[in-house]
Amino acid sequence: MSNGIRGGAAVVGVSEMHYKRGQSPLTEQQMTIRAILDACSDAGVSPREVDGFVSYAGGSNDGPILGAALMIDELRWSNMMWGGGGGSVAAAITNAAVAITSGQAQCVVVYRAMSQADTGRLGYAKYHYGSHFLAHGVGSPAQICAMRTQRMLEHDGVPRSAMRSLVLAAYQHAQQNPTAQGHGKPLDEETYESSRMIAEPFHLYDCSRESDGAVALVLVGSDRARDLRRDPAFVLAGAQGAPGGFCERVDNDAQYSTAGFGPANNGKPGVAERLWASAGLGPDDVDVVQVYENFSGPAVAALVDHRLCPPGEAAGTVMTVDNLTAPHGKLPVNTSGGNLADSFINGLNLAVEAVRQVRGTSTNQVADVRTSLFIGGPMAPLVSSVLFGHAETV
């Protein structure tokens, strides 16, 4: 499969800020602008040079509004990635890379901000749930993902210990990350198991945090990226989509217990396999993974879908705390603490950590990272992944 974006664009600037839910001193728009300014500073570019904006999940601050506030010279690209929740978060980065490699824009910002005071929370039914769910009291992402996860445990045979290991590894990483909301709050197996049930099989610690905050990434073309900094994170490949019917309005699809990255209904390659084909790489080539975990179960399913973890009972042999923990684990996952133990800005903060791993600046750095995978919101109606690479991979 040809890939016109491979290495043609790179992330050169990142920024994130986060607060406990409801405690941001700034509005959502103010945080968005602050994050973009900080990301531009990190990249070494003037905010006036930004000519493209991409976001996802229906955020309220669109490109023309932000462009005016930043006093940009010209707006050439303004896109919103649809798909419900954080499923399209990685697709937003791919969209920015497409804009740059196709010549539609030269400096594109991918951004997301959340403020409870401005827009409420994502933990209730305001997106895409069908009336057949709402009529039976099912109206939150936790409930939807819990049913799919329970199927994964009972029918597919994935051990629940895989979920627990993912959570404990995230909290272990957070102890080394001074900005993580879980920093200084270590989690052990007993505390995890005794925490209250939210939606079976999810206990409290299986569920992501809720945060106020903003994240921004600045992308430019590959030549400019090399001039700006010595450690850009090149976009090697990206893919988005889902099998036909994979959404809450149907919810009886054949791949019910998967994360949605599997094959199409006609047997053609799905999101994960299209990603590997586009990159010319495979799961064995990945050095570190950031996987969106609004809940632990979908994240485990996403690792299975990408062939980073075997399906069924064998998943338990890979999904151990030691194996998932940097710097020595064979599959280091969510090295900032992830949505579970760091913060939740609709998942885009995970992309920042993926870039930091390529740069070599993570608080839980994996040695000699050449490829860094970011997996967007699993079990959403649309899912996406993007693979970053060090300059040596281009």
Side-chain angles (χ1 to χ4, degrees):
M1 178 185 293
S2 63
N3 178 11
I5 70 169
R6 193 184 199 284
V11 177
V12 291
V14 296
S15 172
E16 66 169 325
M17 64 179 74
H18 55 80
Y19 309 89
K20 188 176 180 179
R21 67 180 185 273
Q23 295 187 4
S24 168
L26 304 173
T27 67
E28 185 177 292
Q29 186 177 98
Q30 288 172 329
M31 286 192 292
T32 301
I33 294 170
R34 181 74 265 166
I36 293 173
L37 290 172
D38 289 346
C40 287
S41 177
D42 183 52
V45 302
S46 167
R48 292 178 183 270
E49 296 180 58
V50 174
D51 59 3
F53 297 91
V54 182
S55 192
Y56 60 99
S60 58
N61 297 294
D62 60 45
I65 292 174
L66 296 174
L70 294 166
M71 301 177 66
I72 64 173
D73 293 326
E74 181 185 15
L75 178 61
R76 299 173 60 180
W77 190 263
S78 181
N79 268 5
M80 173 63 66
M81 305 304 299
W82 302 104
S88 54
V89 54
I93 298 169
T94 303
N95 185 273
V98 167
I100 292 168
T101 56
S102 64
Q104 296 296 316
Q106 296 180 337
C107 182
V108 182
V109 171
V110 179
Y111 63 96
R112 182 75 169 104
M114 302 174 68
S115 172
Q116 180 168 279
D118 289 352
T119 56
R121 307 311 309 169
L122 298 181
Y124 63 96
K126 65 176 183 178
Y127 280 105
H128 38 70
Y129 304 127
S131 57
H132 62 302
F133 280 109
L134 301 180
H136 292 86
V138 177
S140 73
Q143 293 169 303
I144 297 288
C145 292
M147 291 191 294
R148 290 179 177 266
T149 297
Q150 192 67 33
R151 173 80 172 173
M152 179 184 73
L153 300 181
E154 294 184 6
H155 181 268
D156 300 348
V158 173
R160 187 170 167 274
S161 63
M163 297 162 51
R164 181 178 64 229
S165 294
L166 185 85
V167 175
L168 295 179
Y171 272 83
Q172 189 163 321
H173 287 140
Q175 304 319 303
Q176 310 304 318
N177 179 4
T179 66
Q181 292 180 357
H183 180 71
K185 302 173 183 177
L187 180 67
D188 57 32
E189 185 173 329
E190 180 180 357
T191 303
Y192 166 85
E193 293 289 357
S194 62
S195 63
R196 69 181 184 272
M197 189 71 72
I198 302 300
E200 190 178 2
F202 298 149
H203 286 252
L204 174 65
Y205 292 102
D206 289 301
C207 304
S208 72
R209 293 174 176 271
E210 289 190 341
S211 308
D212 289 355
V215 178
L217 295 86
V218 175
L219 287 84
V220 298
S222 56
D223 291 340
R224 179 90 192 280
R226 291 185 177 92
D227 291 338
L228 286 171
R229 58 184 312 131
R230 62 176 180 79
D231 55 1
F234 291 89
V235 178
L236 300 182
Q240 63 173 302
F246 192 87
C247 69
E248 287 85 351
R249 292 196 181 278
V250 178
D251 217 59
N252 61 354
D253 51 277
Q255 300 187 50
Y256 184 76
S257 60
T258 75
F261 297 87
N265 292 347
N266 60 6
K268 291 185 177 181
V271 174
E273 294 308 320
R274 287 191 279 112
L275 178 83
W276 300 134
S278 295
L281 299 168
D284 291 341
D285 298 308
V286 173
D287 295 316
V288 60
V289 180
Q290 313 302 322
V291 56
Y292 186 112
E293 12 72 289
N294 49 354
F295 311 102
S296 59
V300 173
L303 296 174
V304 172
D305 281 2
H306 285 80
R307 293 192 284 117
L308 294 160
C309 171
E313 186 176 352
T317 64
V318 171
M319 299 294 293
T320 66
V321 176
D322 287 345
N323 201 38
L324 300 177
T325 305
H328 302 300
K330 294 181 179 179
L331 183 64
V333 172
N334 291 354
T335 48
S336 67
N339 294 334
L340 297 174
D342 179 12
S343 64
F344 177 74
I345 313 299
N346 218 174
L348 194 56
N349 47 305
L350 293 168
V352 172
E353 177 65 10
V355 170
R356 287 178 179 145
Q357 284 288 349
V358 174
R359 291 181 174 184
T361 59
S362 170
T363 55
N364 291 283
Q365 184 62 44
V366 176
D368 301 321
V369 168
R370 292 297 175 266
T371 57
S372 180
L373 176 63
F374 172 40
I375 302 174
M379 293 189 181
L382 180 142
V383 297
S384 58
S385 297
V386 65
L387 184 64
F388 296 107
H390 187 273
E392 294 179 4
T393 64
V394 178

